[in-house]
Amino acid sequence: MKQNIFKLGCLLLGLFVVLVVYLSYLQAVMGSNLAANPYNRRLQDIEARVRRGNIYDAKGIVLARSEFNNNTGRRVYSRGADMSHITGYISGLYGRAGLESAYDSYLLGMEGADLIRNFVNKLLGKEQKGGDLTLTIDADLQGLAMELLRGRRGAVVLIDTRTGALRVMASSPSFDPNHLEESWPRLVQDEDSPLLNRAAQGAYPPGSTFKVVTAAGALAANPGIATSTFNCPGYLMVGGYKLDDLAAHGAVDLKKALAVSCNTTFAQLGLGLGADGFYRTIKAFGMDQDPGLEIPVRPGTLAAPGKMTPTELAGSAIGQGEVLVSPLHMALAAAAIANKGVIMRPYLAESVKDSAGETVRQAVHRPWLTATTPEISGIIKDGMVDAVRYGTAGAAAVSGMQVAGKTGSAQNPRGQTHAWFIGFAPADQPRLAVAVILENAGPGGTVAAPVAGRLLSAAVSKGY
Amino acid sequence: MISRSCSRKISPGEYASTVRSRLTERKLLFLAGIYTLAGMLALYLGAAGSPDRQALPVGLATISAFLFVSMYWHFTGYRGDCFLLPITAFLSSTGLVFLFRLDPAYGERQFIWLLIGLGALVLTTRLFVDFRFLSDYKYIYALAGLIALVLPIFFGHEQGGAKSWLNFGVFQFQPSEFVKILVVLFLASFLAENRAILTAGTRNLGWIALPGPQEWGPLAAMWGVSLLLLVCQKDLGAALIYFGTFLTMVYVATSRIFYVLFGMGLFMTGAAASFYLFAHVRARVETWLNPWPYIDTTGYQVIQSIFAINSGGVLGTGLGLGYPKYIPAVHTDFIFSAICEELGLLGASAVIILFMLFVFRGIKIALKTKDDFTALAASGLTALLGLQAFIIIAGVTKLLPLTGVTLPYMSYGGSSLVANFILLGLLLNISHEAEGSL
């Protein structure tokens, strides 16, 4: 019987060990999004006592601040709907979102020195204050992008290729965070999904803009194609299907194929690359990853290996088929070509200061992925320059500066093609990469390219 | 003073060891006192909002009461285990500090109950020091226990979803807290008596040897009572504890894993049947599997508990700096979540380790016993306490379905506190006897 008692003891102690392990596991895996749940009133409680910090844009314009009237705080967003997908909102009814949620602990003074300072303030009955957040976004450029998108469904991303700082991340339609709670019932029912941040969470067929990625993969697998010539009769037969081209481009080299956006050439390159090479290229460009933006990002998706038939592969190579990516991912692809193959980690938060004005967090510029080599990116850049000079992307041209670009007109089941443009400028020393999409708006060359041109020229004149 | 413990002549060697162990006990109680006073001092200075002037005197009185019990044992030559009382002091003073932090009104009442509990402990170690006589009347108190248990079904009122309370005007009383001790004593004496038969079996049923109905009858009755609790009183927690303790004791007595498996099978069958038959059981299980769709109703409590545990992190927010009051019933079943929030993973682990130490001492006592009845009683009481602590901690952390039972020595509740001090007293009496016969 003593043996049994001993076993019982082991069992009971084992149960408690399980509890300790389970509690540790809970702390390790439980998401920080629990704090943002509207049913969790902890943050709201702190909110009522603490003067929440401000959010500034890259030039120091106040984007969000707290106003106090009769001890009830109210959050005021000076740029309204322009910035709402980035800054997010705080609502007692509908929870918390965006950078407001991601930086809660800083904005509410719950980190580092502020934690101690606010504890002392609490004991002394003084006002408790949070820290301030400065973004990389330029509010005026963001406003321009929203103006250019006005009334249409679409998104614009503008990124500094050398640092990864996002200067514009616009999504239309949007919502006014100043009147979130009144308009919520309408927002969630709106068929155009104004709450969705299309720039980072959109899932679009990239169309011909994807040829930039396919070209990088094909050149990496076979450098010889840089000097080969392809013949385009205006269609391609793949697995019994006829893949139509826009025109019979005749004999083209790779650069010209990019400039005139020849489907036949790139479908062939995709088939030559093979499914494995294609997947490898997608990975190299980070298309299937979340770069860790602190706001939600939808990683791109494409056909699973089992479903990657030659027809699917040829379609995917020209950005059709099952390939679905976000404008952010396409902007990063353009940034890779601009920055000699290296994608800098994209980010939105430039710095965080505590309530005393001390900088407690400063963004560090670091490479995220090496998508391709400087040689390959050079070849593709030439093709993209040609596309603007005499090809499909002419409408993106800006006087006094060479723009490199690639258009896309992505077929989709919902009507007219999605108008795409990706590119960067200035072509000789690239600093800015851009991606524009306008849903069901027609051809990229005439609809999306002018938007990109206006934005690039405004950005450069502002000194970016 | 002539207590029963002094009625037998104590040898000088025994007396010296008693003095030594009581001295160790007081040293440990002294540590528990510093710990308690640190917590009470923080509350006195206003860690939980407004300064609580009562906190310090209550802390001092609590620890003095524990020291007084130890002194009393010293003078009566009591030889009970010297670690259990300090462990209990740590647990109950943590509970007391948290109750004062959550709501001083609960703290004050808990303090009174703690004094009553310590009184019950002293009485148990004095009146029942020769607890063996209890074994002779087992059927009488088994019946009494059963009646006490069933009474709330007819006269009781529902609280927190469980109909297991009797209302006596000034205070409410939960019979199942006390009956569980009677159940252990009954089983200990019944199993000690029928151990041989139950182990060997009197008749053969194919490949398996089974005892006759007069032997397994009372055991089947135990199973019935557990299910009755589950169904009629909606007291899932008590049912689990009763049945778990029952199975462990049967196993300890008979070494036959078959009984345990068979019992578990029966319980599973009963549980599965009640899952399909009773909406409240089904709701419990569904809430446990995924509480989020029920966040407004049955899932609210456990989700608030998860929020609290999450906001605590590893180090906790600090005493008085969290928001555990968002959890309904945080002072009773969910006190552990409050500890997780304010003392963090480390504080919560410390509480769990205290329960492990309690179980460890209990098992050591059981291993030192000289006969079947005491061995079974000691291991049964230890299993009872250990299982109860495990079930409620697992419930509030969503490891198991939530069941409304108290966390021993810590949750607010007079019945539970007094009953657990009686349990402690019985365990100490067993160790007193074992030490004496060395």
Side-chain angles (χ1 to χ4, degrees):
Chain A
M1 192 151 78
K2 292 287 154 77
Q3 266 181 338
N4 298 339
I5 294 174
F6 181 76
K7 282 186 207 160
L8 171 66
C10 294
L11 171 78
L12 290 173
L13 295 179
L15 286 178
F16 284 111
V17 171
V18 167
L19 278 182
V20 174
V21 171
Y22 174 71
L23 275 175
S24 316
Y25 162 81
L26 269 190
Q27 292 299 346
V29 301
M30 265 196 305
S32 55
N33 58 344
L34 285 181
N37 191 294
Y39 284 86
N40 192 348
R41 288 173 294 172
R42 284 174 178 74
L43 285 176
Q44 289 166 47
D45 228 86
I46 298 167
E47 207 89 57
R49 296 190 281 100
V50 180
R51 178 179 279 269
R52 191 179 177 88
N54 295 347
I55 301 179
Y56 298 97
D57 90 332
K59 300 284 190 196
I61 297 171
V62 183
L63 299 174
R65 65 175 194 280
S66 288
E67 269 183 2
F68 277 84
N69 287 326
N70 311 324
N71 279 338
T72 50
R74 197 175 82 88
R75 198 73 169 152
V76 179
Y77 299 92
S78 63
R79 295 294 171 122
D82 284 2
M83 302 286 303
S84 52
H85 289 121
I86 300 164
T87 54
Y89 51 80
I90 39 174
S91 157
L93 291 174
Y94 303 114
R96 321 164 78 81
L99 293 178
E100 289 267 36
S101 174
Y103 282 85
D104 254 327
S105 60
Y106 291 100
L107 291 166
L108 288 171
M110 292 155 66
E111 296 276 342
D114 266 353
L115 185 67
I116 298 155
R117 212 173 282 137
N118 281 332
F119 180 67
V120 174
N121 285 341
K122 182 189 175 186
L123 292 184
L124 297 177
K126 283 193 195 164
E127 187 188 46
Q128 300 173 53
K129 281 185 286 189
D132 295 334
L133 170 66
T134 300
L135 305 186
T136 56
I137 301 288
D138 182 292
D140 290 336
L141 287 177
Q142 176 91 3
L144 173 66
M146 287 304 284
E147 190 55 45
L148 292 168
L149 291 171
R150 181 87 49 213
R152 298 187 279 187
R153 283 172 285 121
V156 173
V157 175
L158 183 74
I159 189 169
D160 188 319
T161 58
R162 299 161 305 173
T163 62
L166 283 154
R167 298 302 180 196
V168 171
M169 184 182 251
S171 173
S172 170
S174 184
F175 60 94
D176 187 350
N178 292 307
H179 304 286
L180 183 80
E181 295 184 352
E182 304 96 278
S183 48
W184 186 272
R186 181 180 59 73
L187 292 173
V188 291
Q189 283 185 352
D190 193 328
E191 280 187 6
D192 288 342
S193 321
L195 289 168
L196 175 73
N197 179 14
R198 290 174 155 74
Q201 291 178 281
Y204 298 109
S208 299
T209 57
F210 207 68
K211 288 171 183 165
V212 167
V213 176
T214 305
L219 283 166
N222 179 9
I225 60 171
T227 49
S228 338
T229 308
F230 305 89
N231 184 40
C232 168
Y235 65 90
L236 180 68
M237 295 301 293
V238 187
Y241 289 92
K242 188 178 172 197
L243 192 75
D244 275 318
D245 209 334
L246 297 169
H249 296 107
V252 291
D253 65 358
L254 187 70
K255 283 179 197 172
K256 187 166 181 204
L258 268 172
V260 300
S261 198
C262 175
N263 284 349
T264 311
T265 303
F266 283 95
Q268 278 176 327
L269 287 178
L271 289 170
L273 188 55
D276 287 348
F278 190 67
Y279 287 123
R280 225 175 5 254
T281 310
I282 297 275
K283 267 208 173 1
F285 277 83
M287 289 282 163
D288 58 345
Q289 291 172 52
D290 176 352
L293 212 51
E294 298 171 309
I295 60 173
V297 173
R298 180 193 181 276
T301 51
L302 72 165
K307 291 163 85 182
M308 193 55 99
T309 58
T311 322
E312 174 63 33
L313 181 57
S316 297
I318 57 168
Q320 297 288 164
E322 288 185 36
V323 179
L324 294 173
V325 296
S326 74
L328 173 70
H329 283 103
M330 288 317 297
L332 292 173
I337 304 304
N339 201 38
K340 296 188 165 64
V342 177
I343 307 176
M344 299 301 285
R345 187 186 59 86
Y347 66 98
L348 285 165
E350 187 62 54
S351 65
V352 181
K353 290 190 168 68
D354 67 8
S355 64
E358 294 288 322
T359 301
V360 289
R361 259 180 76 169
Q362 178 71 47
V364 184
H365 310 141
R366 56 169 198 269
W368 180 46
L369 291 169
T370 301
T372 185
T373 65
E375 294 74 35
I376 293 173
S377 64
I379 296 166
I380 296 170
K381 182 166 94 175
D382 292 347
M384 290 171 76
V385 168
D386 286 349
V388 176
R389 198 178 281 151
Y390 69 86
T392 55
V398 174
S399 64
M401 177 173 67
Q402 183 61 59
V403 177
K406 182 76 200 79
T407 57
S409 307
Q411 288 162 17
N412 63 81
R414 292 184 55 191
Q416 270 198 299
T417 56
H418 293 325
W420 270 101
F421 178 88
I422 65 168
F424 53 88
D428 48 341
Q429 259 190 329
R431 298 196 298 268
L432 294 164
V434 68
V436 176
I437 182 171
L438 285 148
E439 290 179 25
N440 308 111
T446 53
V447 181
V451 172
R454 288 274 307 271
L455 197 68
L456 285 172
S457 107
V460 169
S461 67
K462 285 203 78 176
Y464 288 111
Chain B
M1 186 182 297
I2 300 169
S3 74
R4 295 182 89 116
S5 59
C6 295
S7 57
R8 196 171 56 83
K9 194 103 179 85
I10 306 170
S11 72
E14 267 177 22
Y15 184 73
S17 88
T18 304
V19 170
R20 253 202 318 281
S21 74
R22 293 277 82 86
L23 225 74
T24 314
E25 183 172 82
R26 279 206 296 286
K27 275 184 200 158
L28 292 169
L29 281 175
F30 190 69
L31 286 179
I34 294 172
Y35 165 77
T36 310
L37 288 178
M40 288 299 190
L41 183 67
L43 295 177
Y44 180 81
L45 294 174
S50 52
D52 190 343
R53 297 290 164 226
Q54 284 171 312
L56 264 190
V58 164
L60 276 170
T62 303
I63 211 60
S64 315
F66 273 100
L67 282 169
F68 176 79
V69 171
S70 178
M71 296 292 279
Y72 172 77
W73 285 344
H74 187 150
F75 288 118
T76 54
Y78 190 64
R79 295 179 302 273
D81 186 271
C82 66
F83 293 105
L84 280 172
L85 189 69
I87 292 168
T88 318
F90 267 107
L91 287 171
S92 47
S93 58
T94 307
L96 198 61
V97 166
F98 266 86
L99 285 171
F100 266 95
R101 178 259 174 273
L102 291 167
D103 186 347
Y106 285 130
E108 286 159 26
R109 294 179 71 169
Q110 181 81 343
F111 170 64
I112 303 295
W113 280 116
L114 186 59
L115 295 185
I116 296 173
L118 286 172
L121 173 66
V122 169
L123 283 179
T124 311
T125 55
R126 186 179 155 86
L127 301 178
F128 293 135
V129 73
D130 289 335
F131 54 93
R132 220 162 268 285
F133 74 94
L134 290 171
S135 158
D136 302 335
Y137 306 105
K138 60 174 175 293
Y139 289 105
I140 292 173
Y141 60 67
L143 192 68
L146 193 66
I147 291 168
L149 206 55
V150 174
L151 271 182
I153 299 175
F154 303 106
F155 306 104
H157 77 129
E158 209 169 305
Q159 191 169 313
K163 197 177 178 181
S164 55
W165 296 79
L166 284 177
N167 203 337
F168 284 102
V170 265
F171 71 101
Q172 293 163 346
F173 172 71
Q174 204 172 10
S176 63
E177 290 286 352
F178 294 93
V179 174
K180 64 187 186 186
I181 297 172
L182 292 184
V183 166
V184 169
L185 292 177
F186 166 75
L187 280 174
S189 91
F190 176 82
L191 289 169
E193 215 166 80
N194 299 290
R195 208 182 136 211
I197 300 170
L198 283 166
T199 310
T202 49
R203 56 199 71 183
N204 267 307
L205 198 81
W207 53 275
I208 203 124
L210 283 180
Q214 65 272 39
E215 282 84 29
W216 57 257
L219 301 184
M222 269 300 300
W223 172 71
V225 167
S226 300
L227 275 186
L228 200 70
L229 279 171
L230 182 71
V231 173
C232 298
Q233 299 186 0
K234 305 181 183 176
D235 201 343
L236 190 61
L240 255 178
I241 293 164
Y242 276 54
F243 207 69
T245 310
F246 165 60
L247 286 185
T248 51
M249 289 181 73
V250 168
Y251 175 72
V252 168
T254 64
S255 317
R256 286 183 65 176
I257 202 79
F258 166 75
Y259 287 135
V260 178
L261 294 178
F262 186 67
M264 279 164 85
L266 275 180
F267 192 77
M268 292 291 173
T269 314
S274 44
F275 177 84
Y276 288 108
L277 289 175
F278 304 104
H280 66 268
V281 177
R282 196 159 47 240
R284 276 276 168 93
V285 175
E286 277 166 0
T287 306
W288 167 58
L289 291 173
N290 183 11
W292 298 100
Y294 312 101
I295 191 163
D296 275 319
T297 52
T298 48
Y300 186 78
Q301 211 175 12
V302 78
I303 286 179
Q304 290 299 332
S305 168
I306 293 291
F307 286 157
I309 295 167
N310 173 250
S311 78
V314 174
L315 296 173
T317 59
L319 183 64
L321 296 177
Y323 296 88
K325 282 195 222 174
Y326 288 147
I327 314 167
V330 65
H331 58 283
T332 56
D333 303 353
F334 280 82
I335 197 160
F336 187 76
S337 311
I339 292 167
C340 284
E341 173 162 7
E342 302 207 326
L343 302 184
L345 175 64
L346 293 181
S349 304
V351 168
I352 293 173
I353 289 168
L354 282 170
F355 278 111
M356 290 174 83
L357 290 173
F358 192 107
V359 167
F360 178 74
R361 292 314 298 179
I363 292 295
K364 273 205 92 150
I365 290 170
L367 287 172
K368 268 192 182 174
T369 52
K370 295 288 176 292
D371 64 282
D372 291 352
F373 172 64
T374 47
L376 282 166
S379 48
L381 292 171
T382 307
L384 180 66
L385 188 116
L387 284 176
Q388 178 157 349
F390 172 76
I391 283 170
I392 187 59
I393 293 177
V396 300
T397 53
K398 214 176 81 65
L399 181 63
L400 288 181
L402 180 62
T403 56
V405 295
T406 54
L407 185 58
Y409 303 111
M410 302 185 82
S411 289
Y412 172 75
S415 306
S416 159
L417 199 60
V418 173
N420 284 320
F421 271 110
I422 294 174
L423 183 152
L424 173 69
L426 291 172
L427 210 48
L428 287 171
N429 284 347
I430 295 170
S431 85
H432 170 78
E433 189 193 73
E435 293 294 330
S437 51
L438 273 174

